[in-house]
């Protein structure tokens, strides 16, 4: 019996917990089988999943990763390629995200006031008639969906001038973005990024 | 020449099978997963015509997105290609064609993940990972069936665990732990049987307290499920199925587009024989010998 196989048996038998021993045995045999049969497809899938898992697990620990995640949610990555490579990373219902929508530029006080005055309105982007100048709503992920998502195009077509203020928060880190949507023609609107701040 | 192999999984009793029969058995999980992947896309498809016409009527010119990934026609192509290829894959047996189908589907899902009209939809993220499993599987169709099923179950559960991990760690934030985020999104106005029932029977304070419990349960259960890959695939698959059905039926049935493809992966895990009879739980040395034997035979 080869030394490596002896080591595998030893490790599998040293586990005290039966379930752990079974799992160790399964994992070692699986990895050994992949190695022995030169199963490149399995090795690549394992590597891919492992790299993405490491990236996700770095989220609570590393500020750079947190910034990268938050910038991704606000379409504020360094460039499209940097943003695109992160897109397959699962991030459903991540962070505390909120949007504010307004027909005119809003001040910080107005945004705060909207939060206090109407804490739980429906998404303002789904309505042509705002009750007040600024309305706000929480969203599950990707707050930029407020103006990029399919349903909102019909509202944008009727009222093409909008200001969107977005905020995403992960623990003590917060990103704020402001966008202005302005008409170019009857069939086109332009997205202008007014500011992105992260602190 | 027809080669033979010894199979003993839930897909076929232990008996001598021809290589053609082995391919038939090996194709079953692939077709199950493809069916559920199609179901995910079709569940989403009812929104696609409206979205497509909306995008045609009004272009959102955002310099961040390249033209290709803000064009409505490319969105339609990225969506319809995997649907068409998926239906074809249910009826073909050619390995090369299946690999082409799987790789094309994976590429289209990635395209949908980065298109202006679909990047925010988690459906295409889960479909991307299920497509990655399909690509891997299509390249291993000739493996001995026992080994293939064991690996397929393991990788299926591993991908499900990754999806839960991604969902869980982004919720490790005070807003979710206090329940405020979930309360605002779901409990205040969401028109769904479960939340309507709660609003009808609970006062504001009690509803807020319930939201806290609900949110903490979501955070903890998703975190726990990110370790599913440590369990026996069959047990892990049963837990995953319960989670997916629970998430969908108790929060939003539209989420079936997100969960159906993952349910397909979990079903593959259910096909594993009960613990104790699995080939990978045999003593290490004998399992290595058995698993490597067919590969050596095929090399000869």
């Amino acid at each position: 019996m080869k030394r490596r196989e002896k080591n595998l048996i030893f490790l599998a038998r040293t586990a005290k917990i039966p379930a752990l021993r079974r799992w160790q045995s399964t994992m070692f045999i699986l990895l050994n089988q992949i190695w022995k049969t030169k199963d490149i497809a399995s090795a690549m899938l394992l590597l891919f999943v492992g790299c993405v898992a490491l990236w996700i697990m770095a989220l609570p620990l590393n500020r750079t990763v947190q910034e990268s995640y938050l910038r991704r949610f606000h379409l504020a990555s360094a460039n499209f390629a940097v943003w695109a490579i992160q897109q397959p990373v699962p991030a459903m219902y991540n962070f505390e995200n909120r949007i504010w929508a307004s027909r005119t530029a809003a001040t910080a006080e107005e945004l705060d006031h909207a939060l206090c005055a109407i804490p739980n309105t429906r998404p303002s982007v789904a309505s042509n008639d705002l009750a007040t100048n600024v309305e706000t709503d929480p969203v599950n992920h990707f707050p930029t969906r407020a103006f990029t998502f399919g349903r909102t195009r019909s509202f944008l077509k009727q009222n093409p001038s909008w200001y969107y203020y977005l905020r995403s928060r992960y623990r003590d880190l917060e990103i704020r973005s402001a966008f202005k949507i302005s008409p170019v023609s009857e069939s086109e609107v332009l997205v202008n990024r007014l500011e992105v701040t992260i602190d | 020449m027809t080669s033979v192999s010894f199979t003993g999984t839930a897909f076929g009793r232990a008996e001598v099978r021809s290589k053609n029969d082995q391919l038939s058995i090996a194709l079953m999980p692939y077709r199950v997963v493809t069916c559920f992947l199609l179901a995910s896309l079709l569940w989403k498809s009812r929104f696609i015509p409206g979205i497509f016409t909306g995008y045609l009527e009004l272009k959102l010119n955002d310099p961040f997105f390249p033209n290709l990934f803000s064009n409505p026609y490319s969105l339609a192509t990225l969506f319809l290609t995997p649907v068409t290829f998926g239906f074809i894959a249910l009826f073909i047996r050619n390995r090369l064609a299946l690999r082409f189908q799987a790789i094309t589907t994976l590429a289209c899902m990635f395209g949908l993940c980065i298109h202006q009209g679909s990047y925010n939809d988690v459906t295409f993220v889960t479909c991307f990972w299920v497509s990655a499993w399909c690509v891997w599987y299509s390249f291993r169709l000739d493996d001995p069936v026992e080994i293939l099923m064991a690996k397929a179950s393991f990788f299926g559960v591993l991908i499900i665990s990754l999806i839960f991990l991604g969902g869980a760690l982004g919720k490790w934030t005070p807003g979710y732990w206090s329940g405020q985020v979930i309360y605002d999104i779901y409990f205040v106005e969401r028109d769904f049987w479960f939340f309507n029932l709660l609003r009808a029977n609970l006062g504001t304070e009690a509803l807020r307290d319930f939201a806290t419990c609900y949110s903490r349960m979501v955070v903890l259960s998703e975190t726990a499920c990110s370790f599913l890959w440590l369990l026996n695939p069959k047990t892990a698959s049963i837990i995953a199925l319960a989670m997916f059905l629970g998430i969908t039926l108790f929060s939003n049935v539209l989420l079936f587009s997100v969960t159906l493809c993952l349910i397909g992966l979990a079903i593959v895990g259910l096909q594993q024989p009960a613990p104790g009879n699995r080939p990978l739980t045999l003593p290490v040395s004998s399992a290595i010998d058995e698993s490597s034997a067919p590969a050596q035979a095929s090399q000869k």
Side-chain angles (χ1 to χ4, degrees):
Chain A
M1 192 181 292
K2 289 178 184 174
R3 188 179 170 185
R4 185 155 48 87
E5 289 174 16
K6 280 182 182 173
N7 288 341
L8 293 179
I9 295 166
F10 173 75
L11 283 168
R13 286 179 179 166
T14 48
K16 297 274 170 67
I17 307 164
L20 184 61
R21 186 170 57 205
R22 192 162 58 233
W23 174 77
Q24 271 191 359
S25 168
T26 304
M27 289 301 295
F28 282 124
I29 294 167
L30 180 73
L31 293 174
N32 200 41
Q33 206 276 338
I34 289 170
W35 178 260
K36 277 196 149 195
T37 55
K38 294 184 171 52
D39 181 355
I40 295 169
S42 300
M44 285 181 70
L45 183 61
L46 262 182
L47 188 69
F48 187 31
V49 173
C51 288
V52 174
L54 281 176
W55 177 254
I56 295 171
M57 286 189 290
L59 174 65
L61 308 171
N62 187 288
R63 193 178 168 90
T64 309
V65 176
Q66 291 170 4
E67 280 191 19
S68 183
Y69 258 84
L70 290 171
R71 285 184 178 278
R72 171 190 169 197
F73 265 38
H74 284 230
L75 305 179
S77 301
N79 55 52
F80 182 77
V82 171
W83 175 81
I85 205 165
Q86 297 177 69
Q87 275 302 94
V89 179
M92 56 287 284
Y93 286 79
N94 276 194
F95 316 138
E96 304 164 42
N97 308 292
R98 182 167 282 276
I99 59 168
W100 286 261
S102 170
R103 295 274 171 76
T104 56
T107 61
E109 288 74 28
E110 284 179 303
L111 300 185
D112 284 342
H113 179 71
L115 201 55
C116 301
I118 316 169
N120 298 307
T121 55
R122 292 308 305 148
S124 36
V125 287
S127 165
N128 279 317
D129 300 311
L130 299 183
T132 58
N133 183 41
V134 184
E135 287 201 1
T136 182
D137 203 67
V139 285
N140 51 5
H141 42 239
F142 287 107
T144 44
R145 67 187 296 173
F147 50 88
T148 63
F149 195 39
R151 287 191 312 147
T152 60
R153 296 288 172 101
S154 59
F155 303 119
L156 288 174
K157 190 163 176 62
Q158 291 171 42
N159 297 287
S161 294
W162 287 89
Y163 285 83
Y164 287 98
Y165 303 90
L166 317 177
R167 185 190 72 193
S168 294
R169 191 185 286 158
Y170 186 70
R171 300 184 176 185
D172 58 346
L173 195 63
E174 186 174 285
I175 183 169
R176 290 182 298 278
S177 303
F179 293 84
K180 181 186 178 186
I181 314 293
S182 50
V184 176
S185 67
E186 272 199 8
S187 59
E188 186 176 347
V189 290
L190 182 67
V191 178
N192 289 303
R193 278 172 176 74
L194 302 177
E195 62 168 304
V196 179
T197 53
I198 188 160
D199 50 38
Chain B
M1 193 199 304
T2 304
S3 62
V4 292
S5 65
F6 189 74
T7 65
T9 71
F11 283 105
R13 292 287 170 204
E15 58 192 50
V16 178
R17 292 188 178 277
S18 72
K19 199 163 186 177
N20 263 351
D21 289 342
Q22 182 171 312
L23 180 63
S24 299
I25 296 166
L27 278 176
M28 279 174 67
Y30 188 83
R31 286 176 176 162
V32 167
V33 173
T34 304
C35 265
F36 277 89
L37 185 65
L38 278 173
S40 268
L41 294 174
L42 293 177
W43 198 270
K44 180 60 60 182
S45 67
R46 55 185 158 151
F47 300 105
I48 296 295
I51 287 174
F52 181 72
T53 51
Y55 291 0
L56 276 183
E57 283 175 8
L58 187 72
K59 182 184 178 187
L60 191 73
N61 186 350
D62 184 350
F64 183 75
F65 288 94
N67 282 336
L68 178 67
F69 293 110
S70 57
N71 186 314
Y73 291 103
S74 60
L75 179 71
T77 307
L78 289 169
F79 186 82
L80 291 175
T81 305
V83 172
T84 312
F85 281 21
F87 276 115
I88 294 169
L90 297 178
F91 303 101
I92 57 174
R93 293 168 60 89
N94 183 289
R95 292 168 180 78
L96 205 60
L98 285 171
R99 282 172 198 167
F100 179 72
Q101 176 264 333
I103 291 170
T104 308
T105 303
L106 181 69
C108 287
M109 289 307 149
F110 181 65
L112 287 167
C113 285
I114 61 174
H115 194 284
Q116 188 193 50
S118 52
Y119 72 89
N120 60 283
D121 198 326
V122 178
T123 300
F124 304 118
V125 176
T126 54
C127 286
F128 171 87
W129 283 101
V130 174
S131 305
W133 181 94
C134 287
V135 170
W136 163 79
Y137 197 91
S138 69
F139 276 87
R140 305 307 305 174
L141 280 171
D142 292 325
D143 277 6
V145 174
E146 282 186 348
I147 300 295
L148 181 62
M149 294 304 150
K151 281 191 204 167
S153 307
F154 174 75
F155 283 129
V157 172
L158 190 67
I159 285 171
I160 289 169
S161 305
L162 184 77
I163 301 290
F164 278 120
L165 183 72
L169 265 63
K171 293 187 186 72
W172 285 8
T173 182
Y176 270 95
W177 192 247
S178 71
Q180 188 62 43
V181 176
I182 288 284
Y183 179 77
D184 288 344
I185 292 174
Y186 280 119
F187 284 76
V188 177
E189 278 186 330
R190 179 62 63 99
D191 185 17
F192 189 69
W193 73 269
F194 182 62
F195 303 107
N196 293 340
L197 187 73
L198 289 172
R199 277 193 296 272
N201 292 288
L202 297 176
T204 311
E205 283 296 311
L207 192 67
R208 183 64 188 77
D209 290 343
F210 189 89
T212 302
C213 295
Y214 183 93
S215 188
R216 288 180 184 181
M217 189 190 72
V218 168
V219 174
L220 293 175
S221 59
E222 284 194 1
T223 305
C225 283
S226 59
F227 295 99
L228 281 179
W229 62 286
L230 296 176
L231 299 177
N232 165 271
K234 190 166 189 169
T235 313
S237 297
I238 291 168
I239 295 170
L241 277 174
M243 279 291 289
F244 293 138
L245 292 174
I247 288 169
T248 311
L249 297 175
F250 285 93
S251 59
N252 187 355
V253 286
L254 294 178
L255 288 178
F256 265 129
S257 67
V258 175
T259 55
L260 273 172
C261 57
L262 296 170
I263 286 173
L265 274 191
I267 286 173
V268 171
L270 288 181
Q271 302 302 321
Q272 274 289 290
N277 297 326
R278 293 177 306 139
L280 289 181
T281 53
L282 292 171
V284 179
S285 55
S286 64
I288 290 170
D289 293 343
E290 282 179 20
S291 64
S292 56
Q296 287 165 359
S298 63
Q299 281 170 5
K300 285 174 187 173

